[in-house]
Amino acid sequence: MTITRTILVTRLSALGDVAMTVPVMKQVLEENPEVQIVFVTNKNWGALCAGIPRLIFFPADVKGEHKGIPGLYRLFRSVSRQYKITAIADLHNVLRSKIIRTFFRFSGKPVAAIDKGRAAKKALTSKENKVLQPVISTIERYALVFRQLGLKCTMGHQPVFAPQALPERVLAVTGAKGTQQWIGLAPFATYREKMYPLEKMEIVLAELLKTGNQRVLLFGGGKKEVELLNAMAERYPRAQVVAGRFSLQEEMALISQLNVMISMDSANMHLASLYGVPVISVWGATHPFAGFMGYGQSDANAVQITDLSCRPCSVFGNKPCFRGDHACMEWIKPAQIVEKVISAVG
């Protein structure tokens, strides 16, 4: 079918948030064969778009070439020269994306932007008079933006990608999977309030490795995280650090081969979700009710303390614990995580 509409989509934020856009964009493209999408996002996230027909990755460097209003104008001009944009879907709705969409609006292009539901999220995270009810999921909020532009988008739960063969560079480190069960463990998060205590996560690791057919691959990023994971792996021969060793594309291929992923409320949950890998997600200050559960993931696989009146205290986990004891994470027992992992891998 001839392409008659080219939609510019913007989401310039962190890896996990960007990963959540991918199931929605793929669904839009499948239901609207006359449409192509030009996706403006962080220059490092191109692997997320690989293999999806009519999804065009357009790298943005908002700390370099596209910094500030002049840089965003350069980005606008660059996109406009290469593509005949017919509409803009702003999936971020922050200052940068508002500036970009304003440039296009001045040229007469229709615009739709995400409603983040701030009022409902404020009520959910309020210290007093908390309204403990699920808000509209982020996935659904993304889908609503495309519907505002007159596009079909009926979200399901099917994996976005099929499992990938392991690249040679990965195989050189991990070896072939064979009949082993591979468990991913991603124990880190941006904020302490979203991270299960590492000493307790080590107990989880030790329990999982008591059986002979399971291998645990340790994910993370950054020099300090890799050092902590290396120290942990030295004590457990069947645990292997893969953090910091591969490109995003290679790491995604490795994630696709997992039997299960253990993750905080963080990017690895969303990467695993793209492949339909079950995720045992651990929640502390944040909550699945805020709308950031991984695409297609079961609420039954969320590990959390449900009888703490202060939870959730923030949407993103970026507020210090006002209790001071991090009970939302400290009260979770390692056995709770282990039990769900064992159930997931069968």
Side-chain angles (χ1 to χ4, degrees), residues 99-110:
I99 291 171
I100 294 170
R101 81 192 196 208
T102 298
F103 290 143
F104 281 98
R105 181 175 277 148
F106 284 158
S107 60
K109 302 298 188 292

Side-chain angles (χ1 to χ4, degrees), residues 166 170-180 182 215:
L166 293 180
V170 177
L171 280 170
V173 173
T174 64
K177 181 179 179 181
T179 60
Q180 288 182 323
W182 279 8
R215 188 172 178 199

Side-chain angles (χ1 to χ4, degrees), residues 151-165:
L151 298 167
K152 299 174 185 176
C153 184
T154 308
M155 294 308 300
H157 303 288
Q158 293 300 310
V160 175
F161 300 120
Q164 300 179 36

Side-chain angles (χ1 to χ4, degrees), residues 13 46 52 75 114 142 163 166 170 173 260 302:
S13 55
I52 300 179
L75 178 61
I114 187 171
Y142 289 157
L166 293 180
V170 177
V173 173
V260 65

Side-chain angles (χ1 to χ4, degrees), residues 1-7 23-37 53-55 143 145-155:
M1 180 177 288
T2 303
I3 300 298
T4 59
R5 300 184 70 184
T6 300
I7 311 299
V24 184
M25 291 190 294
K26 184 182 181 188
Q27 187 65 31
V28 168
L29 292 168
E30 288 181 352
E31 291 190 59
N32 304 271
E34 78 287 0
V35 167
Q36 68 178 1
I37 288 175
R54 294 177 285 118
L55 177 58
V145 176
F146 290 102
R147 293 178 199 140
Q148 289 171 31
L149 294 173
L151 298 167
K152 299 174 185 176
C153 184
T154 308
M155 294 308 300

Side-chain angles (χ1 to χ4, degrees), residues 228-243:
L228 290 169
L229 292 176
N230 281 328
M232 188 185 298
E234 286 179 4
R235 297 187 284 274
Y236 303 94
R238 283 189 291 115
Q240 183 167 35
V241 177
V242 295

Side-chain angles (χ1 to χ4, degrees), residues 234-346:
E234 286 179 4
R235 297 187 284 274
Y236 303 94
R238 283 189 291 115
Q240 183 167 35
V241 177
V242 295
R245 306 188 72 163
F246 306 120
S247 68
L248 177 58
Q249 186 174 6
E250 290 167 336
E251 192 161 296
M252 288 175 65
L254 182 55
I255 288 172
S256 80
Q257 292 291 330
L258 298 178
N259 294 88
V260 65
M261 169 69 86
I262 306 167
S263 175
M264 307 302 102
D265 171 17
S266 62
N268 282 289
M269 169 174 64
H270 300 297
L271 294 177
S273 298
L274 296 178
Y275 296 96
V277 173
V279 178
I280 308 305
S281 53
V282 184
W283 302 76
T286 59
H287 198 292
F289 280 5
F292 292 96
M293 174 61 87
Y295 166 72
Q297 294 295 333
S298 168
D299 290 338
N301 284 339
V303 182
Q304 57 186 328
I305 301 296
T306 57
D307 55 357
L308 267 174
S309 61
C310 55
R311 280 195 70 236
C313 62
S314 70
V315 174
F316 305 110
N318 55 346
K319 297 179 180 178
C321 175
F322 68 82
R323 288 172 52 112
D325 63 355
H326 296 92
C328 56
M329 280 298 191
E330 293 288 349
W331 289 5
I332 295 174
K333 297 177 181 178
Q336 293 175 255
I337 300 173
V338 172
E339 181 181 349
K340 287 188 181 292
V341 173
I342 293 173
S343 176
V345 297

